Amino acid sequence: MLDCAIIGGGPAGLTAGMYATRGGLENVVMFEKGMPGGQITQSSEIENYPGVTGEVSGMEFMMPWPAQCQKFGLKHEMVAVNRVSKEGEIFKIHKEDGTISQAHSVIVCTGSSPRRAGFAGEDELFGRGVSTCATCDGFFYKGKEVAVVGGGDTALEEALYLAKICSKVYLIHRRDSFRASPNTVERVKNAQNIELILNSIPQEVYGDNMGVTGLLVKGDSGEIRDIKVPGVFTFVGNDVNNQILIQEDDSFLCDVNKHGEVIVDISMRTPVHGLFAAGDMRLSAPKQVVSAAGDGAVAALQAISYVDEKLNS
Ligand code: FAD
Ligand code: NAP
């Protein structure tokens, strides 16, 4: 029986793991389906985490976090969790390999995943020229032209990253103003080799046996522009990974809002005793590493109080 099961090993899960173990909980396991680190490992640069100065990639930034947690006793099980249920006072962690772990408390930190933009050919050519990760795939297009779709922080930051590797970046956005922070918008506008294609929506990505060869984009007056590029990067937001909370009867273990975000109080508690949610997946998350880490710490401190009270009453 685990004192605490942490599902997800991004900034929220790792910080929860460190606080839970360092705060005295025994038998704390972080269930992470891949390598720990979360979404930020896909980022080419992080410059808004306190104390981080200079050019640091998301991967480099997250590298020391798991070892720091293990020092305090956090165990990592590399497995995907299919579902979390509660039977009486006990949580059950149903894992993809068919086994079940049991826990007194659970902190869910499964974050969010990149959304598809929805244009023709996107799914068929995904991984063959269509990508959602510039740091993973940008190098394949060294010296070539690429297209980026989206108008948020991710799209603009990754367009800037690609502009350093590629000969030209076409930034396609469906409106003429951006969600991204003004500072980032300014940098994009000043970049010599980024062409803004505004008020425009991708219609179709096309290609051949080798992969993508171009993208058709429709402007607001209906004209179609054919952009001949071998790489298309889409950054159109994220969906909350809340599937593990869906029960056999299709209800959620705890409440979620219309965006699928888990409803928590300011202590990261859900109304289900012993169940906490932290990071990008919780209600109104600022979707930042610093806030995800903060949430993880808050949730772990609450889990410690919950388990102490439960085992000692
Ligand atoms: P995540 O980082 O999403 O981690 C969730 C983890 O849970 C993942 O490792 C996933 O594998 C795991 N998981 C999911 N489902 C399961 C399951 N069923 N079983 C087991 N494991 C599971 N924020 C900033 O503050 N500054 C930045 O500069 C910045 N840049 C970014 C650039 C990019 C390209 C992206 C995509 C995001 C960026 N962000 C940035 C946002 C930041 O990465 C997120 O806010 C943060 O990672 C959220 O942390 P999290 O722990 O809540 O979730
Ligand atoms: P986002 O802010 O939701 O932006 C998504 C963008 O994609 C929007 O511009 C949106 O257009 C566009 N879009 C959505 N669906 C589309 C579609 N089907 N076709 C074409 N365009 C589409 O997502 P994000 O940029 O990934 O950022 C997510 C969160 O992480 C944000 O809170 C962000 O601030 C944060 N983040 C922060 C940093 C940082 O602090 N440095 C870096 C990266 C991300 P509209 O604008 O018209 O809706």
Side-chain angles (χ1 to χ4, degrees):
M1 174 71 70
L2 306 176
D3 272 356
C4 185
I6 296 167
I7 325 288
L14 285 161
T15 310
M18 182 173 73
Y19 273 74
T21 47
R22 199 165 175 272
L25 288 188
E26 303 284 339
N27 269 335
V28 182
V29 173
M30 182 183 77
F31 298 91
E32 163 58 59
K33 62 183 175 181
M35 293 303 288
Q39 294 166 58
I40 190 66
T41 57
Q42 296 192 7
S43 175
S44 48
E45 191 183 343
I46 176 157
E47 61 173 15
N48 57 0
Y49 195 89
V52 176
T53 54
E55 275 201 20
V56 181
S57 73
M59 186 67 89
E60 289 164 337
F61 172 71
M62 290 309 295
M63 201 79 85
W65 292 41
Q68 185 183 13
C69 296
Q70 279 153 19
K71 201 175 82 182
F72 299 112
L74 180 68
K75 296 182 202 95
H76 170 205
E77 215 177 290
M78 197 191 278
V79 67
V81 171
N82 285 342
R83 181 162 59 92
V84 175
S85 62
K86 191 175 187 191
E87 291 174 26
E89 288 288 287
I90 303 301
F91 289 96
K92 292 196 168 176
I93 320 300
H94 306 259
K95 293 175 280 184
E96 198 179 48
D97 61 9
T99 60
I100 295 175
S101 296
Q102 301 196 84
H104 292 299
S105 66
V106 174
I107 305 175
V108 184
C109 317
T110 42
S112 56
S113 301
R115 209 175 275 153
R116 296 283 164 97
F119 47 82
E122 186 184 19
D123 289 340
E124 294 77 3
L125 288 163
F126 196 86
R128 293 197 298 127
V130 177
S131 170
T132 54
C133 180
T135 30
C136 317
D137 300 329
F139 194 74
F140 298 129
Y141 308 102
K142 189 171 166 54
K144 298 178 182 164
E145 298 192 348
V146 294
V148 167
V149 179
D153 279 311
T154 305
L156 270 67
E157 286 183 7
E158 299 312 299
L160 285 164
Y161 171 77
L162 289 165
K164 287 191 239 163
I165 303 171
C166 305
S167 57
K168 180 166 181 174
V169 176
Y170 297 92
L171 178 64
I172 299 149
H173 179 38
R174 62 187 180 183
R175 294 188 291 131
D176 61 2
S177 61
F178 294 99
R179 258 170 219 278
S181 66
N183 172 41
T184 308
V185 174
E186 205 49 40
R187 283 169 62 204
V188 164
K189 285 184 174 166
N190 290 334
Q192 297 296 311
N193 61 343
I194 300 181
E195 180 181 332
L196 300 182
I197 302 181
L198 303 178
N199 298 313
S200 297
I201 298 175
Q203 295 293 291
E204 182 182 354
V205 61
Y206 59 87
D208 56 25
N209 290 343
M210 301 297 287
V212 167
T213 50
L215 180 69
L216 300 177
V217 176
K218 190 177 184 180
D220 55 357
S221 54
E223 78 285 3
I224 301 283
R225 182 163 167 188
D226 187 358
I227 303 173
K228 298 208 179 299
V229 284
V232 175
F233 290 83
T234 57
F235 303 107
V236 296
N238 289 285
D239 289 321
V240 175
N241 297 327
N242 60 18
Q243 301 83 346
I244 64 166
L245 296 168
I246 300 174
Q247 305 300 289
E248 281 176 319
D249 65 0
D250 285 342
S251 66
F252 277 91
L253 179 58
C254 57
D255 294 338
V256 301
N257 67 13
K258 64 177 180 182
H259 306 296
E261 299 163 340
V262 177
I263 297 176
V264 290
D265 65 14
I266 57 166
S267 298
M268 306 302 141
R269 287 182 298 210
T270 73
V272 177
H273 294 300
L275 180 69
F276 308 85
D280 271 17
M281 70 170 327
R282 61 94 167 158
L283 175 76
S284 306
K287 300 198 170 63
Q288 295 288 292
V289 174
V290 71
S291 52
D295 283 2
V298 171
L301 294 172
Q302 289 298 322
I304 294 169
S305 303
Y306 173 82
V307 173
D308 276 354
E309 203 171 301
K310 191 176 170 206
L311 298 184
N312 299 317
S313 62

